[in-house]
Amino acid sequence: RHPGWPARLGPLRVPAGTVELRPPRLFDGGAWSRIRVRDRAHLENWEPTSPGGWAERNAVLAWPGQWSSLRGMARRGHALPFMVLVNGTLAGQVTVGNIVRGSLRSAWIGYWVGSHCVGGGVATGAVALVVDHCFARAGLHRLDATVRPENTPSIRVLTKLGFRQEGLFRRYLDVAGAWRDHLCFAMTAEETGMGLVARLVEQGRAQMP
Ligand code: ACO
């Protein structure tokens, strides 16, 4: 057992519906694969290049391997992998990875939301729930989010939540078949004030059901 895992987060109401997060399950494969195969055009430009190709990496048969790898990293305290549900149905993922403890207490955060429910505050609400969890129960101090300069919706998610842009990493990540520059956004525990969820509620962007 590691601090902050396993965990269920939410519910939180956003314009698109009620957002909840929970650990991945073996039976998520069907719904996960259906969204990911359908949404190749929506997701592929922003995700690490997949060896073997998109269809193969996101097939139903690929899920047990991914699930077991996520579960193993979570059990060892290296990751906090969450499935995002909207109104009870799988809609995306938020993953906290490369958790380093000791004097760093830092990790990266990444996310995706299916094309059928973008633009309704789902990513913003889900990431807010995870960030609050990381700085409270999971005992982290800093989160990094790296994003391609072309990814306007994702940059908007980060700036709405109060992440600060700290720099530009040149040729940082192998995404969609090439080394891509990424902006580095970050947040530390001191910057969250009342908490990101409470701030969204105060701004009228979310409600506690
Ligand atoms: N130009 C300007 N703003 C835009 C555009 C655009 N073309 N498209 C969307 N937006 C805005 C929306 O209006 C909204 O802002 P608002 O609340 O001020 O109106 C914001 O971007 C999106 O906020 P949410 O609704 O909370 O986010 P959503 O649930 O739509 O998910 C996400 C956003 C995760 C980026 C989704 O589009 C996605 O999964 N994209 C593909 C994968 C991806 O890019 N993942 C992030 C990689 S980077 C990282 O993980 C750190």
Side-chain angles (χ1 to χ4, degrees):
R1 289 280 161 134
H2 292 274
W5 193 259
R8 294 184 69 97
L9 309 178
L12 183 66
R13 205 151 51 222
V14 298
T18 300
V19 174
E20 291 170 282
L21 294 98
R22 61 155 173 79
R25 294 178 184 156
L26 186 52
F27 67 69
D28 286 327
W32 173 85
S33 173
R34 219 172 304 124
I35 300 174
R36 306 241 344 145
V37 168
R38 177 198 70 195
D39 275 354
R40 176 175 183 167
H42 167 60
L43 300 170
E44 198 174 25
N45 274 333
W46 319 115
E47 296 201 356
T49 302
S50 37
W54 189 264
E56 194 181 314
R57 180 163 172 227
N58 293 289
V60 184
L61 279 176
W63 176 250
Q66 291 224 19
W67 165 78
S68 120
S69 143
L70 292 172
R71 192 174 66 146
M73 288 191 288
R75 284 184 168 179
R76 290 193 299 277
H78 297 163
L80 301 167
F82 290 101
M83 306 308 278
V84 179
L85 310 186
V86 175
N87 299 331
T89 303
L90 185 68
Q93 291 177 267
V94 178
T95 309
V96 176
N98 196 25
I99 295 177
V100 181
R101 296 203 179 265
S103 307
L104 199 58
R105 297 202 282 284
S106 175
W108 54 253
I109 186 164
Y111 42 82
W112 65 268
V113 168
S115 62
H116 58 294
C117 53
V118 291
V122 172
T124 302
V127 174
L129 286 161
V130 174
V131 170
D132 284 353
H133 180 73
C134 284
F135 291 147
R137 299 239 335 269
L140 296 180
H141 172 252
R142 176 184 162 96
L143 288 170
D144 292 333
T146 53
V147 59
R148 294 182 63 184
E150 303 85 358
N151 195 345
T152 315
S154 180
I155 291 171
R156 179 80 190 120
V157 168
L158 294 170
T159 50
K160 272 193 287 184
L161 290 169
F163 277 76
R164 274 174 299 100
Q165 189 181 317
E166 288 196 338
L168 174 66
F169 296 166
R170 294 283 182 196
R171 296 173 291 281
Y172 178 65
L173 202 60
D174 182 2
V175 169
W179 293 105
R180 310 286 183 178
D181 292 352
H182 278 68
L183 295 168
C184 173
F185 283 77
M187 179 176 284
T188 64
E190 294 85 350
E191 295 166 82
T192 56
M194 65 173 87
L196 299 195
V197 170
R199 215 187 273 163
L200 287 181
V201 169
E202 199 178 68
Q203 293 166 348
R205 292 186 183 277
Q207 290 114 41
M208 301 284 203

